[in-house]
Amino acid sequence: IFGEDLSRQTILIIGAGKIGETTLRHLAKRGVQSVLVANRSLDRAQELAAQFQGRALPFSELAAGLAQADIVISSTSAPHYVLSKSDLLPLMGQRRNRPLFLIDLAVPRDIDPGVLDVEGAYLYNIDQLADIARQNAQTRQAEAVAAEEMVAAEARQFFERLAAAPPHSGTRRALADVLTEELSFSGVPDGSTA
């Protein structure tokens, strides 16, 4: 939704525990500069917000934070939803139809799935994020296998050309030895017959 550059996005963290803190550390590394922190304990929200030059919000001002935020990440220990469709509906007009990206990292869930009925709201929970991460890992693994196959094919072609080349004072054997040694480090079979 927002691309790779998060520096212009306002992030609202709901819940100032370990998960919220860890999330903010990762986001800060990605360039996030505008941070809001809402927590039932204002002191803890202020403490976490100060670490990231952010602003703390009392939980009673959560609606104001939602109106400003582009991305909301919730990770409270509440036994019930802290954000619902009825919380978002009146805010979307104030947001001038800017999309709102919601990430629910809590177990049990903090954000009612009904928010998906609100136009412009996008909700992801921790299970969906795990599925996305798993799919990305599978894609990277497939790309790594394809790269290894390309290297192996190039190595076979090199050895075929090397075997066809006339020997010149041991150059052919020396090159083959170097290539074989390098390929052994990578785990790619050399296909050598020379």
Side-chain angles (χ1 to χ4, degrees), residues 49-144:
Q51 292 179 41
F52 299 94
Q53 292 73 47
R55 187 166 55 95
L57 299 173
F59 225 74
S60 60
E61 294 180 20
L62 185 59
L66 290 166
Q68 295 174 40
D70 299 297
I71 301 170
V72 176
I73 300 170
S74 189
S75 60
T76 76
S77 57
H80 52 77
Y81 295 134
V82 297
L83 190 57
S84 68
K85 177 180 177 178
S86 62
D87 296 318
L88 288 187
L89 280 172
L91 298 173
M92 295 313 275
Q94 295 173 23
R95 297 179 52 77
R96 294 188 172 92
N97 297 319
R98 287 183 301 127
L100 182 61
F101 186 67
L102 303 148
I103 302 173
D104 190 345
L105 300 179
V107 176
R109 302 279 177 254
D110 277 346
I111 303 174
D112 182 349
V115 301
L116 287 170
D117 294 336
V118 177
E119 188 174 342
Y122 301 88
L123 172 63
Y124 293 91
N125 64 43
I126 196 163
D127 296 327
Q128 291 167 312
L129 295 175
D131 288 343
I132 291 168
R134 199 171 11 265
Q135 290 170 357
N136 288 342
Q138 289 172 345
T139 299
R140 284 191 307 275
Q141 179 62 32
E143 290 170 354

Side-chain angles (χ1 to χ4, degrees), residues 156-174:
R156 278 191 295 280
Q157 288 179 0
F158 174 80
F159 277 112
E160 290 169 3
R161 287 192 306 269
L162 193 59
H168 295 292
S169 64
T171 303
R172 184 174 75 176
R173 183 78 236 153

Side-chain angles (χ1 to χ4, degrees), residues 13-25 27 44 48 52 73-75 105:
I13 299 291
I14 303 174
K18 286 287 183 199
I19 293 172
E21 183 175 347
T22 301
T23 301
L24 269 178
R25 288 196 191 291
L27 290 170
R44 177 63 186 133
L48 184 58
F52 299 94
I73 300 170
S74 189
S75 60
L105 300 179

Side-chain angles (χ1 to χ4, degrees), residues 4-10 27 30-34:
E4 293 292 318
D5 183 15
L6 297 178
S7 65
R8 294 183 179 180
Q9 309 309 317
T10 297
L27 290 170
R30 298 285 310 260
V32 167
Q33 296 174 12
S34 180

